[in-house]
Amino acid sequence: MLVLFETPSGHALFKVTDSAKLKDVKPEEVGGLLAGDSLSSSLRLKAFGKFESTTDALAASTAIVEGKISKQLKKFLKKNVKDAEELAVGESKLGNAIKSKLGLQCIFDSSVQEIIRVIRANFEDLVGEKSTEHERKAMVLGLAHSLSRYKLKFSPDKVDTMIVQAIGLLDDLDKELNTYAMRLKEWYGWHFPEMVKIINDNVKYAQVVARMKIRSNAKGLDFKDILEEEVEEELKEAAEVSMGTEISDEDVRNITSLCSQVTTLSEYRFKLFEYLKNRMRAIAPNLTAMVGELVGARLIAHAGSLLNLAKYPASTVQLLGAEKALFRALKTKHATPKYGLIYHASVVGLAAPKHKGKISRVLAAKCALSIRLDALGEGENDGAVGEENRLKVENRLRQLEGKQSLAISKAGRNSSQGVYIAPDEPAKTYNDSADMIMDGEEAAQKKKKKSKKSSDQAEEEVDEDAQQQKKKKKKKDKSTEADGEVKKSKKRKAEEEPAQGETSKSKEKKKVKKTKEK
């Protein structure tokens, strides 16, 4: 029996001398039988096929992982294994592939696993000088790097983890900038409260405060590089008549340091956004063309990676970000949400409220195709498919709104611009010649009939109103009669109650008299 053993440095073929003894022994005892002093006599190296480079090692290892035979292994087995001999392999998939391609009888069971374990533990003694320790270490390191790159399909320009971190940092920066700007406006508002209504932009507000410091300095300063002329004049006029309190030099220093923080954070946010746009265009150009950089980056971050997002169906892509609302609706048996993060895409924003659900479903279907092309596609990817799919979504939106659709011609696909295609048939117009002109007498008769019908309808409406008023009066009369009867019954009860009280008193007096007489 022969045993095939794969190593980073090459393929090794060992011959088991006493294979008949191993069949009678339990699988757990095979390792103990082979190990020890009898190892060299029971296991013997028959052939060793060394890899010439790491590319050969990578091709062989990836073929074994996929359950296939590499060209080098095929030549090695044809040269060293005869048809009548049994071949023990470490994986069942590899054994099936060898059997189908070469017609060799392959064995794979627990006893074979024990034999391979013994070979792995004593590989240096069995191989000897055919593979040195230095060569094996170098091949192990090189194969580990190349195999990991192959599995990850590594490319420094296609790392989606950078997108996940960038969009997370961008959201955090937005929150920090908003809190810093609010604190700055509240703090400086005690000194110059009118400035908040004049300058709405947070960055411009911080720049003006850092330059002006105290409102009395506004008149002698120039803000043309920050503000427009009208806004600058309004600011200077408001500074002269401001109702704010005075602040000390220490307050001014702290406020200006906060202003510098706001400006530096805003500048870094702008650079980070440019970095994110470039990354998205390199990694997912089709998804970027469909929904934009920010929405695409949030979808990738929500899924964890671009490959995970490519595994999702269109229905999941449509509802990403609305999981809580979905499960709440399923629990309470209410209507499920129609969109999640995809709602912020510009195409969905252009749709009317009644069409947003349909457009988000169409957009999610096209986004799923674009994501799979970005994640799994090979070759150049310039985003043409994403732009074409986006135009299809816009055409669907135009159909829902009853407008003319657009299409891409073959010549204009490279430029990715929509080209209007004229219809084959001209649009139908109103035919004036088909109109009929009526005579004066016929028109007068028709007018009389219409006037009679309208008068009859008016009379019927008047009769109906009169009948309804009569019914209302009858109901009121009945209700007043019932109220009168209720009042009379109450009066009778009130009259009867005092009479009963008088009779009971007279009886008590008579009893008292009788007792006195006795």
Side-chain angles (χ1 to χ4, degrees), residues 163-164 167 280 287-288 290-306 308-310 312 316-321 323 340-343 345 363-364 367-368 371:
I163 290 175
V164 176
I167 190 65
M280 282 297 295
L287 180 62
T288 305
M290 289 293 297
V291 294
E293 293 87 1
L294 288 175
V295 179
R298 286 195 173 93
L299 287 172
I300 293 171
H302 198 83
S305 67
L306 184 63
N308 289 343
L309 187 62
Y312 290 159
T316 307
V317 174
Q318 183 182 351
L319 295 179
L320 272 179
E323 289 86 358
L341 291 169
I342 210 168
Y343 177 79
L363 181 63
C367 277
I371 293 161

Side-chain angles (χ1 to χ4, degrees), residues 4-14 45 47-53 56-58 60-61 64 72-73 76 123 127 130-131 135-136 139-140 143:
L4 178 65
F5 186 73
E6 304 91 8
T7 65
S9 55
H11 295 294
L13 197 64
F14 293 92
L45 181 66
F48 185 77
K50 189 182 287 186
F51 295 132
E52 294 179 359
S53 62
D56 295 338
L58 177 62
S61 58
I64 290 169
Q72 189 171 0
L73 179 60
F76 179 74
F123 183 73
V127 174
K130 290 195 176 182
S131 177
E135 288 178 354
R136 285 197 298 274
M139 289 299 291
V140 166
L143 181 61

Side-chain angles (χ1 to χ4, degrees), residues 62-334:
T62 51
I64 290 169
V65 169
E66 294 171 359
K68 298 176 182 179
I69 311 173
S70 62
K71 292 181 180 180
Q72 189 171 0
L73 179 60
K74 199 172 183 180
K75 290 178 182 178
F76 179 74
L77 292 175
K78 278 183 179 180
K79 185 178 179 181
N80 298 297
V81 182
K82 297 178 181 179
D83 296 337
E85 289 180 320
E86 292 181 346
L87 182 65
V89 294
E91 290 187 4
S92 59
K93 289 182 180 179
L94 181 61
N96 294 329
I98 292 170
K99 189 176 181 180
S100 62
K101 290 289 177 68
L102 302 175
L104 299 175
Q105 187 179 358
C106 297
I107 303 169
F108 172 75
D109 53 15
S110 55
S111 60
V112 172
Q113 293 293 327
E114 285 292 322
I115 295 170
I116 290 173
R117 184 181 64 79
V118 172
I119 292 170
R120 188 181 294 110
N122 304 282
F123 183 73
E124 294 179 5
D125 299 332
L126 292 169
V127 174
E129 297 179 355
K130 290 195 176 182
S131 177
T132 61
E133 187 179 357
H134 178 71
E135 288 178 354
R136 285 197 298 274
K137 285 183 178 179
M139 289 299 291
V140 166
L141 185 62
L143 181 61
H145 283 296
S146 56
L147 187 61
S148 61
R149 283 195 183 97
Y150 174 79
K151 285 185 176 180
L152 297 172
K153 292 181 179 177
F154 180 77
S155 173
D157 295 330
K158 304 263 304 174
V159 181
D160 51 4
T161 53
M162 303 300 174
I163 290 175
V164 176
Q165 299 298 328
I167 190 65
L169 181 58
L170 195 69
D171 292 337
D172 293 339
L173 279 174
D174 288 336
K175 290 178 184 176
E176 292 295 326
L177 274 171
N178 286 330
T179 52
Y180 280 16
M182 286 173 61
R183 185 63 60 195
L184 176 63
K185 288 179 180 179
E186 288 179 3
W187 198 351
Y188 196 73
W190 290 100
H191 178 62
F192 193 180
E194 294 84 3
M195 187 175 166
V196 178
K197 295 180 180 179
I198 298 169
I199 303 172
N200 297 321
D201 188 54
N202 295 332
V203 180
K204 290 181 179 179
Y205 188 94
Q207 290 174 353
V208 170
V209 171
R211 185 176 295 183
M212 182 171 58
K213 294 180 181 178
I214 300 173
R215 65 170 184 266
S216 58
N217 299 334
K219 192 174 182 180
L221 293 173
D222 186 16
F223 302 104
K224 288 182 180 179
D225 56 337
I226 302 172
L227 303 173
E228 297 177 358
E229 292 183 3
E230 297 176 356
V231 180
E232 184 182 358
E233 291 176 0
E234 188 178 357
L235 177 69
K236 290 179 179 179
E237 290 175 0
E240 293 178 358
V241 295
S242 177
M243 300 293 291
T245 59
E246 297 295 331
I247 54 177
S248 63
D249 295 338
E250 189 176 358
D251 296 332
V252 172
R253 283 195 298 272
N254 287 311
I255 290 170
T256 51
S257 63
L258 181 58
C259 292
S260 63
Q261 290 285 332
V262 172
T263 52
T264 51
L265 280 176
S266 62
E267 289 172 1
Y268 176 63
R269 191 217 176 264
F270 178 75
K271 292 178 182 177
L272 184 66
F273 181 63
E274 291 295 324
Y275 165 77
L276 181 64
K277 285 201 295 186
N278 295 331
R279 278 287 180 184
M280 282 297 295
R281 286 169 188 164
I283 294 171
N286 294 298
L287 180 62
T288 305
M290 289 293 297
V291 294
E293 293 87 1
L294 288 175
V295 179
R298 286 195 173 93
L299 287 172
I300 293 171
H302 198 83
S305 67
L306 184 63
L307 192 61
N308 289 343
L309 187 62
K311 295 175 184 177
Y312 290 159
S315 57
T316 307
V317 174
Q318 183 182 351
L319 295 179
L320 272 179
E323 289 86 358
K324 287 185 180 179
L326 174 64
F327 293 120
R328 193 190 308 118
L330 293 173
K331 189 177 180 181
T332 56
K333 295 181 180 179
H334 285 87

Side-chain angles (χ1 to χ4, degrees), residues 474-488:
K474 286 181 180 179
K475 286 181 181 179
K476 285 182 180 179
D477 295 337
K478 287 181 181 179
S479 62
T480 50
E481 288 176 1
D483 294 338
E485 289 178 358
V486 170
K487 288 179 181 178
K488 286 179 182 178

Side-chain angles (χ1 to χ4, degrees), residues 20-54:
K21 289 182 181 179
L22 298 177
K23 291 180 180 178
D24 300 331
V25 180
K26 292 181 180 180
E28 294 84 4
E29 298 176 358
V30 172
L33 185 65
L34 292 174
D37 298 333
S38 61
L39 179 64
S40 58
S41 59
S42 57
L43 280 172
R44 184 170 54 84
L45 181 66
K46 184 179 180 181
F48 185 77
K50 189 182 287 186
F51 295 132
E52 294 179 359
S53 62
T54 54

